[in-house]
């Protein structure tokens, strides 16, 4: 259908069908749809963050409280009022408003949404399942055009996938005993994480787009590890998301449990809050903004183990999520994101190389993967994780096509893209950690002991480390990339991974597009971020 008169296309909102999708017909006109409208900041085009602020030592940074951030960068009340008026005109229900999150959620039938946004919603069949979709651009009346950044939720295709990999053909306690596998505490010991701290006073937020956790499994797992205290885990429902275990250890429960078990084992006194949302662009965005702006739980670290190739996202989605990460930085919240498990192509079959988003946002700590081999309490070798030949994945990494090279990466030796365009962009990942399922993590999922890897394990690993460092500093470390890159040029804060490749990119001395700066030497990372050296001694492991 053609766009109604007096409506203008919203730049960056264009959608095409999923590859392999077949159009079935119009969406049910009476189906209820929730649409998230993301508004522009009341500060206009002023930047949310001052890049120079993050080159300062953490104790000297100016960090905004959540209330201060809302007052400076939240949605303008007049903008919200215009959206409310738009909703009334189209008989849509205003379901939720959040000035801090710059979000208004509208609800109504497909027929009203088609008219309101100048789209034609249809049903599609895809190998991954049916979804409601649209093609082309979203349209808005002129009075909303300068205040709306994005419209999400009209299309409910699955937007992201979890970045975990189970060890193939081997599972259970016996396999873990005779194969290379580690508890999260053992990995923390091998990486020399700070001791004498346990994450007390910190909150780690985990973003999940499906599955759930089982309290009994967690209790049994903590007992198995003989933790000195039992981590506190709670769930927050975002939209229609909820803690809903599937009972299938091969499904998203594996992601949820891996994230909780890794982060909780490393920082057992930290509060673990799991934000569950639907696996759509709207659900993903709302989960992130809900966690970042949560003034009840006050997360200081966010861990994200879901994502998809940049080419699968709309520009409006990447812009809105990146601005949410800028907001996190302004409020002193560190965001750790898995870099993907499908090598340099990120699973795309167009013959080109792709990086995973949201790991490619320049406002997150992108986490790549290694194969970690140890004997006793010492690392004997560490190489790039690449088991694609055995169908066990490989670390994501490469050069962004969506984001330019950030200032703090200019001296790191980030190469042009291996694609024919040789684009110069944001290099992924920033850091790394054990991810190969053949040297994976002992887990318990839906009652089943197993060994799991993937860059999904690395994001919560780093989140746990940051929680320990935050406790040591007495202040949230927040956006740490500039300090890590600066320190890496003058000190040995990382295990430099120099062997292996992820497809188009090879490891080498210094930063590379497989493992970034390398895997952490935890005490040295802590010192680089402001923890006094005498506070540390090498952890003995469990």
């Amino acid at each position: 259908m053609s766009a109604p008169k007096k409506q203008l296309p919203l730049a960056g909102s264009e959608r095409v069908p999923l590859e392999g999708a077949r159009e079935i017909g119009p969406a049910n006109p009476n189906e209820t749809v929730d649409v998230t409208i993301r508004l522009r900041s009341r500060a206009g085009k002023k930047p949310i963050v001052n890049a120079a602020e993050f080159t300062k030592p953490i104790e000297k940074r100016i960090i905004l409280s959540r209330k201060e951030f809302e007052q400076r960068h939240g949605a303008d009340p007049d903008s919200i009022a215009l959206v409310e008026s738009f909703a009334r005109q189209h008989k849509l229900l205003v379901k939720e408003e959040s000035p801090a999150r710059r979000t208004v959620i509208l609800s109504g039938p497909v027929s009203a949404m088609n008219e309101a946004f100048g789209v034609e919603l249809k049903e599609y069949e895809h190998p991954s399942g049916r979804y409601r979709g649209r093609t082309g651009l979203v349209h808005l009346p002129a009075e909303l055009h300068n205040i709306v950044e994005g419209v999400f939720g009209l299309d409910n295709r699955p937007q992201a996938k979890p970045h975990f990999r189970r060890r193939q053909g081997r599972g259970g306690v016996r396999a873990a005993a005779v194969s290379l596998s580690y508890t999260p505490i053992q990995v923390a010991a091998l990486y020399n994480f700070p001791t004498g701290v346990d994450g007390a006073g910190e909150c780690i937020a985990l973003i999940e787009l499906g599955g759930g956790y089982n309290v009994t499994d967690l209790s049994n797992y903590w007992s198995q590890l003989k933790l000195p205290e039992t981590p506190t885990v709670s769930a927050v429902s975002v939209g229609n998301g909820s803690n809903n275990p599937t009972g299938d250890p091969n499904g998203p429960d594996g992601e949820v449990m891996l994230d909780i078990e890794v982060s909780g084992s490393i920082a057992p006194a930290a509060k673990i809050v799991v934000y569950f949302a639907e696996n759509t662009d709207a659900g993903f965005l709302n989960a992130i903004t809900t966690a970042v702006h949560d003034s009840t739980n006050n997360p200081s670290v966010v861990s994200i183990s879901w994502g998809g190739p940049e080419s699968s996202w709309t520009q409006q989605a990447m812009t809105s999520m990146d601005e949410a990460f800028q907001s996190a930085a302004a409020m002193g919240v560190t965001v750790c994101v898995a870099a993907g498990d499908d090598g340099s192509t990120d699973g795309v079959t167009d013959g080109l190389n792709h990086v995973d988003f949201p790991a490619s946002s320049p406002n997150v700590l992108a986490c790549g993967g290694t194969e970690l081999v140890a004997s006793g309490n010492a690392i004997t070798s560490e190489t790039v994780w690449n088991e694609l030949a055995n169908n066990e994945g490989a670390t994501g990494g490469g050069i962004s096509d969506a984001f330019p090279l950030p200032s703090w990466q200019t001296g790191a030796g980030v190469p042009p893209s291996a694609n024919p365009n040789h684009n110069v962009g944001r290099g992924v990942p920033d850091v790394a950690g054990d991810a190969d399922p053949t040297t994976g993590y002992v887990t318990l999922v839906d009652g089943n002991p197993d060994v799991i890897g993937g860059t999904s394990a690395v994001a919560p690993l780093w989140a746990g480390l940051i929680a320990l460092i935050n406790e040591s500093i007495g202040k949230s470390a927040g956006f740490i990339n500039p300090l890590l890159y600066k320190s890496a040029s003058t000190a040995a804060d990382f295990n430099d991974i120099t062997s292996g490749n992820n497809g188009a990119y090879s490891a080498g001395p210094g930063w590379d597009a497989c493992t970034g700066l390398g895997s952490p030497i935890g005490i040295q990372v802590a010192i680089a971020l402001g923890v006094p050296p005498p506070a540390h001694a090498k952890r003995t492991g469990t």
Side-chain angles (χ1 to χ4, degrees), residues 313-385:
W313 295 83
T314 60
Q315 184 58 55
Q316 65 169 1
M318 288 193 286
T319 297
S320 289
M321 290 176 69
D322 179 58
E323 286 195 0
F325 299 138
Q326 293 178 45
S327 303
M331 293 181 285
V333 179
T334 309
V335 182
C336 306
V337 184
D341 293 353
D342 292 291
S344 63
T345 67
D346 207 27
V348 182
T349 57
D350 61 0
L352 299 175
N353 296 292
H354 297 263
V355 292
D356 208 73
F357 181 83
S360 65
S361 163
N363 293 288
V364 306
L365 185 73
C367 302
T370 69
E371 177 190 277
L372 180 70
V373 179
S375 177
N377 292 324
I379 297 172
T380 56
S381 72
E382 192 167 16
T383 57
V384 175
W385 167 39

Coordinates of all heavy atoms in Angstrom, one line a residue, residues 313-385:
W313 N 20.5 -6.0 10.6 CA 19.9 -5.0 11.4 C 19.5 -3.8 10.5 O 20.2 -3.5 9.5 CB 20.9 -4.5 12.4 CG 21.3 -5.5 13.5 CD1 22.2 -6.4 13.4 CD2 20.7 -5.6 14.8 NE1 22.3 -7.2 14.5 CE2 21.4 -6.7 15.4 CE3 19.7 -5.0 15.5 CZ2 21.1 -7.2 16.7 CZ3 19.4 -5.4 16.7 CH2 20.0 -6.5 17.3
T314 N 18.5 -3.1 10.9 CA 18.1 -1.8 10.3 C 19.1 -0.7 10.9 O 19.6 -0.9 12.0 CB 16.7 -1.4 10.6 OG1 16.5 -1.3 12.0 CG2 15.7 -2.4 10.0
Q315 N 19.3 0.3 10.2 CA 20.1 1.4 10.7 C 19.5 2.0 11.9 O 20.2 2.4 12.9 CB 20.3 2.5 9.6 CG 21.3 3.6 10.0 CD 22.7 3.1 10.4 OE1 23.3 2.4 9.6 NE2 23.1 3.4 11.6
Q316 N 18.2 2.1 12.0 CA 17.5 2.7 13.1 C 17.8 1.9 14.4 O 18.0 2.4 15.5 CB 16.0 2.9 12.9 CG 15.3 1.6 12.7 CD 13.7 1.8 12.8 OE1 13.2 2.9 12.9 NE2 13.0 0.7 12.7
A317 N 17.8 0.6 14.2 CA 18.1 -0.3 15.4 C 19.5 -0.1 15.9 O 19.7 0.0 17.1 CB 17.8 -1.7 15.0
M318 N 20.5 -0.1 15.0 CA 21.9 0.0 15.4 C 22.1 1.4 16.0 O 22.8 1.5 17.0 CB 22.8 -0.2 14.2 CG 22.9 -1.7 13.8 SD 24.3 -2.0 12.7 CE 23.6 -1.3 11.2
T319 N 21.5 2.4 15.5 CA 21.6 3.8 16.1 C 21.0 3.8 17.5 O 21.7 4.4 18.4 CB 20.9 4.8 15.2 OG1 21.6 4.8 13.9 CG2 21.0 6.2 15.8
S320 N 19.8 3.3 17.6 CA 19.2 3.4 18.9 C 19.9 2.6 20.0 O 20.1 3.0 21.1 CB 17.7 2.9 18.8 OG 16.9 3.9 18.1
M321 N 20.4 1.4 19.6 CA 21.1 0.6 20.6 C 22.4 1.2 20.9 O 22.9 1.2 22.1 CB 21.2 -0.9 20.1 CG 19.9 -1.6 20.1 SD 19.9 -3.3 19.4 CE 20.9 -4.1 20.6
D322 N 23.1 1.7 19.9 CA 24.4 2.3 20.2 C 24.2 3.5 21.1 O 25.1 3.8 22.0 CB 25.1 2.8 18.9 CG 26.4 3.4 19.1 OD1 27.3 2.8 19.7 OD2 26.6 4.6 18.7
E323 N 23.2 4.3 20.9 CA 22.9 5.4 21.8 C 22.6 4.9 23.3 O 22.9 5.6 24.2 CB 21.8 6.3 21.3 CG 22.2 7.1 20.1 CD 21.2 8.3 19.8 OE1 20.2 8.4 20.5 OE2 21.5 9.0 18.8
A324 N 21.9 3.8 23.4 CA 21.7 3.2 24.7 C 23.0 2.8 25.4 O 23.2 3.0 26.6 CB 20.8 1.9 24.6
F325 N 24.0 2.4 24.6 CA 25.3 2.1 25.1 C 26.1 3.3 25.5 O 26.8 3.4 26.5 CB 26.1 1.2 24.2 CG 25.5 -0.1 23.8 CD1 25.5 -0.6 22.5 CD2 24.9 -0.9 24.8 CE1 24.9 -1.8 22.2 CE2 24.3 -2.1 24.5 CZ 24.3 -2.6 23.2
Q326 N 25.9 4.4 24.7 CA 26.4 5.7 25.1 C 25.8 6.1 26.4 O 26.5 6.7 27.3 CB 26.2 6.7 24.0 CG 26.9 6.5 22.7 CD 26.5 7.6 21.7 OE1 26.5 8.7 22.0 NE2 26.2 7.1 20.5
S327 N 24.5 5.9 26.6 CA 23.9 6.3 27.9 C 24.5 5.5 29.0 O 24.7 6.1 30.1 CB 22.4 6.0 27.8 OG 21.8 6.7 26.7
A328 N 24.7 4.2 28.8 CA 25.4 3.4 29.8 C 26.7 4.0 30.2 O 27.1 4.1 31.4 CB 25.5 2.0 29.3
A329 N 27.5 4.4 29.2 CA 28.8 4.9 29.5 C 28.7 6.2 30.3 O 29.5 6.4 31.3 CB 29.6 5.2 28.2
A330 N 27.8 7.1 30.0 CA 27.6 8.3 30.7 C 27.2 8.1 32.2 O 27.5 8.9 33.0 CB 26.5 9.2 30.0
M331 N 26.6 7.0 32.5 CA 26.2 6.6 33.8 C 27.1 5.7 34.5 O 26.8 5.1 35.6 CB 24.7 6.1 33.8 CG 23.7 7.2 33.4 SD 22.0 6.5 33.4 CE 21.9 5.5 32.0
G332 N 28.3 5.4 33.9 CA 29.3 4.6 34.6 C 29.0 3.1 34.5 O 29.4 2.3 35.4
V333 N 28.3 2.6 33.5 CA 27.9 1.2 33.3 C 28.8 0.6 32.2 O 28.8 1.1 31.1 CB 26.4 1.0 33.0 CG1 26.1 -0.4 32.8 CG2 25.6 1.6 34.1
T334 N 29.5 -0.5 32.5 CA 30.2 -1.2 31.5 C 29.3 -2.2 30.8 O 28.5 -2.9 31.4 CB 31.4 -2.0 32.2 OG1 32.1 -1.2 33.1 CG2 32.3 -2.6 31.2
V335 N 29.4 -2.3 29.5 CA 28.7 -3.2 28.7 C 29.6 -4.2 28.0 O 30.5 -3.8 27.2 CB 27.8 -2.5 27.7 CG1 26.9 -3.5 26.9 CG2 26.9 -1.5 28.3
C336 N 29.5 -5.5 28.3 CA 30.3 -6.5 27.7 C 29.5 -7.3 26.7 O 28.4 -7.8 27.1 CB 30.9 -7.5 28.8 SG 31.8 -6.6 30.1
V337 N 30.0 -7.5 25.5 CA 29.2 -8.2 24.4 C 30.0 -9.3 23.7 O 31.1 -9.0 23.3 CB 28.7 -7.1 23.4 CG1 27.7 -7.8 22.4 CG2 27.9 -6.0 24.1
A338 N 29.4 -10.4 23.5 CA 30.0 -11.5 22.8 C 30.2 -11.1 21.3 O 29.3 -10.6 20.7 CB 29.1 -12.8 22.9
A339 N 31.3 -11.5 20.8 CA 31.6 -11.1 19.4 C 31.1 -12.1 18.3 O 31.3 -11.8 17.1 CB 33.2 -11.0 19.3
G340 N 30.5 -13.2 18.7 CA 30.0 -14.1 17.7 C 30.8 -15.4 17.6 O 32.0 -15.4 18.0
D341 N 30.1 -16.4 17.1 CA 30.7 -17.8 17.1 C 30.9 -18.4 15.7 O 31.0 -19.6 15.6 CB 29.8 -18.7 17.9 CG 29.8 -18.4 19.4 OD1 30.5 -17.5 19.8 OD2 28.9 -19.0 20.1
D342 N 30.8 -17.5 14.7 CA 30.8 -18.1 13.3 C 32.0 -17.5 12.5 O 31.9 -17.4 11.2 CB 29.5 -17.8 12.6 CG 28.4 -18.6 13.2 OD1 28.4 -19.8 13.1 OD2 27.5 -18.0 13.9
G343 N 33.1 -17.2 13.1 CA 34.3 -16.8 12.4 C 34.1 -15.4 11.7 O 33.2 -14.6 12.1
S344 N 34.9 -15.1 10.8 CA 35.0 -13.8 10.2 C 33.8 -13.5 9.3 O 33.5 -12.3 8.9 CB 36.3 -13.6 9.4 OG 36.3 -14.5 8.3
T345 N 33.0 -14.5 8.9 CA 31.8 -14.3 8.0 C 30.6 -14.0 8.9 O 29.6 -13.6 8.4 CB 31.5 -15.5 7.1 OG1 31.1 -16.6 7.9 CG2 32.7 -15.9 6.3
D346 N 30.7 -14.3 10.2 CA 29.5 -14.3 11.1 C 28.4 -15.1 10.6 O 27.2 -14.8 10.9 CB 29.1 -12.8 11.3 CG 28.5 -12.6 12.7 OD1 28.7 -13.4 13.6 OD2 27.6 -11.7 12.9
G347 N 28.7 -16.1 9.9 CA 27.6 -17.0 9.4 C 26.9 -16.6 8.2 O 25.9 -17.3 7.7
V348 N 27.2 -15.4 7.6 CA 26.6 -14.9 6.4 C 27.2 -15.6 5.1 O 28.5 -15.8 5.1 CB 26.7 -13.4 6.2 CG1 26.0 -12.9 5.0 CG2 26.2 -12.7 7.5
T349 N 26.4 -16.0 4.2 CA 26.9 -16.8 3.1 C 27.0 -16.0 1.8 O 26.9 -16.6 0.7 CB 26.0 -18.0 2.8 OG1 24.6 -17.5 2.6 CG2 26.0 -18.9 4.0
D350 N 27.3 -14.7 1.9 CA 27.4 -13.9 0.7 C 28.9 -13.8 0.2 O 29.1 -13.0 -0.8 CB 26.8 -12.5 0.9 CG 27.6 -11.7 2.0 OD1 28.5 -12.3 2.6 OD2 27.2 -10.6 2.3
G351 N 29.8 -14.5 0.8 CA 31.2 -14.5 0.3 C 32.0 -13.4 0.9 O 33.2 -13.2 0.6
L352 N 31.3 -12.5 1.8 CA 32.0 -11.4 2.4 C 32.2 -11.7 3.9 O 31.7 -12.6 4.5 CB 31.2 -10.1 2.2 CG 31.0 -9.7 0.8 CD1 30.1 -8.5 0.7 CD2 32.4 -9.4 0.1
N353 N 33.0 -10.8 4.5 CA 33.2 -10.9 6.0 C 32.3 -9.9 6.7 O 32.0 -8.8 6.2 CB 34.7 -10.6 6.3 CG 35.6 -11.7 5.7 OD1 35.6 -12.8 6.1 ND2 36.4 -11.3 4.7
H354 N 31.8 -10.3 7.9 CA 30.9 -9.5 8.6 C 31.2 -9.6 10.1 O 31.7 -10.6 10.6 CB 29.4 -10.0 8.4 CG 28.9 -10.0 7.0 ND1 28.1 -8.9 6.5 CD2 29.1 -10.8 6.0 CE1 27.9 -9.2 5.3 NE2 28.4 -10.3 4.9
V355 N 30.9 -8.5 10.8 CA 31.1 -8.5 12.2 C 29.7 -8.5 12.9 O 28.7 -8.2 12.2 CB 31.9 -7.3 12.8 CG1 33.3 -7.4 12.4 CG2 31.3 -6.0 12.4
D356 N 29.6 -9.0 14.1 CA 28.4 -9.1 14.8 C 28.0 -7.8 15.6 O 28.9 -7.2 16.1 CB 28.5 -10.2 15.9 CG 27.2 -11.0 16.2 OD1 26.8 -11.7 15.3 OD2 26.7 -10.8 17.3
F357 N 26.7 -7.5 15.6 CA 26.2 -6.4 16.3 C 25.3 -7.0 17.4 O 24.6 -7.9 17.1 CB 25.5 -5.4 15.4 CG 24.9 -4.2 16.2 CD1 25.7 -3.1 16.5 CD2 23.6 -4.2 16.6 CE1 25.2 -2.0 17.2 CE2 23.1 -3.1 17.4 CZ 23.9 -2.0 17.6
P358 N 25.3 -6.5 18.6 CA 25.9 -5.2 19.1 C 27.4 -5.2 19.5 O 27.8 -4.1 20.0 CB 25.0 -4.9 20.3 CG 24.6 -6.2 20.8 CD 24.4 -7.1 19.7
A359 N 28.1 -6.3 19.3 CA 29.5 -6.2 19.6 C 30.3 -5.1 18.9 O 31.3 -4.6 19.3 CB 30.2 -7.6 19.4
S360 N 29.8 -4.8 17.7 CA 30.5 -3.8 16.8 C 30.3 -2.4 17.3 O 30.9 -1.4 16.8 CB 30.2 -4.0 15.4 OG 28.8 -3.7 15.1
S361 N 29.3 -2.2 18.2 CA 29.2 -0.8 18.7 C 30.5 -0.3 19.4 O 31.1 -1.1 20.1 CB 28.1 -0.8 19.8 OG 28.2 0.4 20.6
P362 N 30.9 0.9 19.1 CA 32.1 1.4 19.7 C 32.0 1.8 21.1 O 33.0 2.2 21.8 CB 32.5 2.6 18.8 CG 31.2 3.1 18.3 CD 30.3 1.8 18.1
N363 N 30.8 1.6 21.7 CA 30.6 1.9 23.1 C 30.4 0.7 24.0 O 29.9 0.8 25.1 CB 29.3 2.8 23.2 CG 29.6 4.2 22.5 OD1 30.4 5.0 23.0 ND2 29.0 4.4 21.4
V364 N 30.9 -0.5 23.5 CA 30.8 -1.7 24.3 C 32.2 -2.3 24.3 O 33.1 -2.0 23.5 CB 29.8 -2.7 23.8 CG1 28.4 -2.1 23.7 CG2 30.2 -3.3 22.4
L365 N 32.4 -3.2 25.2 CA 33.6 -4.1 25.3 C 33.3 -5.4 24.5 O 32.6 -6.2 25.0 CB 34.0 -4.3 26.7 CG 35.4 -5.1 26.9 CD1 36.5 -4.2 26.6 CD2 35.5 -5.7 28.3
A366 N 33.8 -5.5 23.3 CA 33.5 -6.7 22.5 C 34.5 -7.8 22.9 O 35.7 -7.6 23.0 CB 33.7 -6.3 21.0
C367 N 33.9 -9.0 23.1 CA 34.6 -10.1 23.7 C 34.7 -11.3 22.7 O 33.7 -11.9 22.3 CB 33.9 -10.6 24.9 SG 33.7 -9.3 26.2
G368 N 36.0 -11.6 22.3 CA 36.2 -12.7 21.4 C 36.7 -13.9 22.1 O 36.7 -13.9 23.3
G369 N 37.0 -15.0 21.3 CA 37.3 -16.3 22.0 C 38.6 -16.9 21.6 O 39.2 -16.7 20.6
T370 N 39.1 -17.7 22.6 CA 40.3 -18.4 22.5 C 40.1 -19.9 22.8 O 39.1 -20.3 23.3 CB 41.4 -17.9 23.4 OG1 41.0 -18.2 24.8 CG2 41.6 -16.4 23.3
E371 N 41.1 -20.7 22.5 CA 41.2 -22.1 23.0 C 42.3 -22.0 24.1 O 43.5 -21.7 23.8 CB 41.6 -23.0 21.9 CG 41.8 -24.4 22.4 CD 42.5 -25.3 21.3 OE1 41.7 -25.8 20.4 OE2 43.7 -25.5 21.4
L372 N 41.9 -22.4 25.3 CA 42.8 -22.3 26.5 C 43.2 -23.6 26.9 O 42.3 -24.5 27.3 CB 42.0 -21.5 27.6 CG 42.7 -21.3 28.9 CD1 43.9 -20.3 28.8 CD2 41.8 -20.9 30.0
V373 N 44.5 -23.9 26.9 CA 45.0 -25.2 27.4 C 45.9 -24.9 28.6 O 46.8 -24.0 28.6 CB 45.9 -25.9 26.3 CG1 46.4 -27.2 26.8 CG2 45.0 -26.1 25.1
A374 N 45.6 -25.6 29.7 CA 46.3 -25.4 30.9 C 46.7 -26.7 31.6 O 46.1 -27.8 31.3 CB 45.4 -24.6 31.9
S375 N 47.8 -26.6 32.4 CA 48.2 -27.8 33.2 C 48.4 -27.3 34.6 O 49.1 -26.3 34.9 CB 49.6 -28.3 32.7 OG 50.0 -29.3 33.5
G376 N 47.6 -27.8 35.5 CA 47.6 -27.3 36.9 C 47.0 -25.9 36.9 O 46.0 -25.6 36.4
N377 N 47.8 -25.0 37.5 CA 47.4 -23.6 37.6 C 48.0 -22.7 36.6 O 48.1 -21.5 36.8 CB 47.7 -23.1 39.0 CG 46.8 -23.8 40.1 OD1 45.6 -24.1 39.8 ND2 47.3 -24.0 41.2
A378 N 48.6 -23.3 35.5 CA 49.3 -22.5 34.6 C 48.8 -22.7 33.2 O 48.4 -23.9 32.8 CB 50.8 -22.8 34.6
I379 N 48.7 -21.7 32.4 CA 48.4 -21.7 31.0 C 49.5 -22.3 30.2 O 50.7 -21.7 30.3 CB 47.9 -20.4 30.4 CG1 46.7 -19.8 31.2 CG2 47.7 -20.4 28.9 CD1 46.4 -18.4 30.8
T380 N 49.3 -23.3 29.4 CA 50.4 -23.9 28.6 C 50.3 -23.4 27.2 O 51.4 -23.3 26.5 CB 50.4 -25.4 28.6 OG1 49.1 -25.9 28.2 CG2 50.7 -25.9 30.0
S381 N 49.1 -23.1 26.7 CA 49.0 -22.5 25.4 C 47.6 -21.8 25.2 O 46.7 -22.2 25.9 CB 49.2 -23.5 24.2 OG 48.0 -24.4 24.2
E382 N 47.6 -20.8 24.4 CA 46.3 -20.1 24.2 C 46.3 -19.6 22.7 O 47.2 -18.8 22.4 CB 46.1 -19.0 25.2 CG 44.6 -18.5 25.1 CD 44.2 -17.6 26.3 OE1 45.1 -17.1 27.0 OE2 43.0 -17.3 26.5
T383 N 45.4 -20.1 21.9 CA 45.3 -19.7 20.5 C 43.9 -19.2 20.2 O 43.0 -19.3 21.0 CB 45.7 -21.0 19.7 OG1 44.8 -22.0 20.0 CG2 47.1 -21.4 19.9
V384 N 43.8 -18.8 18.9 CA 42.5 -18.3 18.5 C 41.5 -19.5 18.4 O 41.9 -20.6 18.0 CB 42.6 -17.7 17.1 CG1 41.2 -17.4 16.5 CG2 43.5 -16.5 17.1
W385 N 40.3 -19.3 18.9 CA 39.3 -20.4 18.8 C 38.8 -20.5 17.4 O 38.2 -19.5 16.8 CB 38.1 -20.1 19.7 CG 36.9 -20.9 19.5 CD1 36.9 -22.3 19.1 CD2 35.6 -20.5 19.5 NE1 35.6 -22.7 18.9 CE2 34.8 -21.6 19.1 CE3 34.9 -19.3 19.7 CZ2 33.4 -21.6 19.1 CZ3 33.5 -19.2 19.6 CH2 32.8 -20.4 19.3

